[in-house]
Amino acid sequence: ILKINNNLRSEKIDIIHTNGFKSHLIGLILKYRFSAKLILHIRENYDGKIFKIQKIMCRIADKIITNSNFVMKRYPDYLQSKMIPIYNGINVNKFRKRESGSNSNNRKINIGIVGILTREKGHLIFIEAASILIKQFPDLHFYIVGDEIYDTSGHSGYKKIILDRINQLNINDYFKNIF
């Protein structure tokens, strides 16, 4: 957490998107540290104490994405009002194009993803989405916060894959303070 805090200290973070239980805990801390909006992405179907903790985190989050109605319906109505199921993709009908000049203070909008660097977390999808969004919204900056936790042949090297993809898409200028 201290490493993330130090890397992001000088930036104004607007939105934090977390993916996974442990990342949600870090996201909660960062939400208050940077006065940012927090979006939780929930795919898991926990029970017991973990589920109770997850419900508390959901109360604090600004918005919650679930991967299905099944996951969403497990939560009380007052939490479901903050939830939207998106089936392993992006519901483009929920977004609208911003008019030119609508960024009233003309500052960059910062979007980040926090989580361990594994294929399952969707960093490459995040990068692909960034490459599409910057064509319409050049005032965006993107952050990837996390690190590889496994040093095994099956898991190491993902950080390089992420950096290579950003380079291939020639969008380096839109990514700040990666990792």
Side-chain angles (χ1 to χ4, degrees):
I1 294 174
L2 291 175
K3 183 177 178 182
I4 293 169
N5 183 61
N6 291 337
N7 287 338
L8 301 179
R9 181 178 296 153
S10 65
E11 304 296 334
K12 170 66 176 107
I13 303 304
D14 297 299
I15 301 169
I16 300 168
H17 172 265
T18 60
N19 190 336
F21 184 79
K22 291 177 186 174
S23 293
H24 298 333
L25 293 170
I26 295 169
L28 290 172
I29 294 167
L30 295 175
K31 171 185 172 55
Y32 290 107
R33 172 71 175 102
F34 295 109
S35 299
K37 299 287 185 188
L38 177 63
I39 301 171
L40 304 182
H41 199 142
I42 299 175
R43 293 183 173 85
E44 305 85 5
N45 194 18
Y46 293 123
D47 288 316
K49 290 180 184 178
I50 299 284
F51 184 61
K52 288 179 184 177
I53 294 168
Q54 185 117 311
K55 285 194 292 189
I56 293 168
M57 291 190 288
C58 287
R59 278 188 282 203
I60 297 167
D62 296 286
K63 199 72 174 167
I64 303 148
I65 299 169
T66 64
N67 68 334
S68 68
N69 276 322
F70 174 78
V71 171
M72 185 175 81
K73 295 294 183 192
R74 294 191 69 228
Y75 291 85
D77 288 343
Y78 71 92
L79 290 176
Q80 287 183 32
S81 65
K82 294 191 217 187
M83 295 181 169
I84 180 170
I86 299 178
Y87 295 89
N88 295 319
I90 298 172
N91 185 346
V92 295
N93 295 322
K94 296 290 180 180
F95 299 91
R96 62 187 163 109
K97 186 174 180 180
R98 187 168 32 140
E99 297 298 321
S100 178
S102 65
N103 187 0
S104 61
N105 55 4
N106 290 326
R107 70 174 182 86
K108 296 282 185 184
I109 296 172
N110 301 300
I111 302 172
I113 183 171
V114 177
I116 56 174
L117 302 182
T118 64
R119 294 181 195 283
E120 295 82 12
K121 297 297 181 186
H123 296 91
L124 294 177
I125 295 169
F126 180 75
I127 293 165
E128 296 294 328
S131 72
I132 294 167
L133 288 170
I134 60 176
K135 292 174 185 169
Q136 288 185 302
F137 308 103
D139 57 345
L140 299 177
H141 272 155
F142 297 89
Y143 297 79
I144 298 176
V145 179
D147 207 347
E148 298 172 318
I149 62 167
Y150 304 112
D151 190 16
T152 63
S153 61
H155 290 95
S156 65
Y158 191 59
K159 186 185 292 188
K160 181 179 180 335
I161 291 169
I162 289 171
L163 291 171
D164 287 348
R165 188 62 185 141
I166 292 169
N167 286 327
Q168 289 168 353
L169 293 169
N170 196 27
I171 55 175
N172 305 61
D173 292 341
Y174 295 92
F175 278 82
K176 307 293 179 193
N177 287 344
I178 303 173
F179 313 114

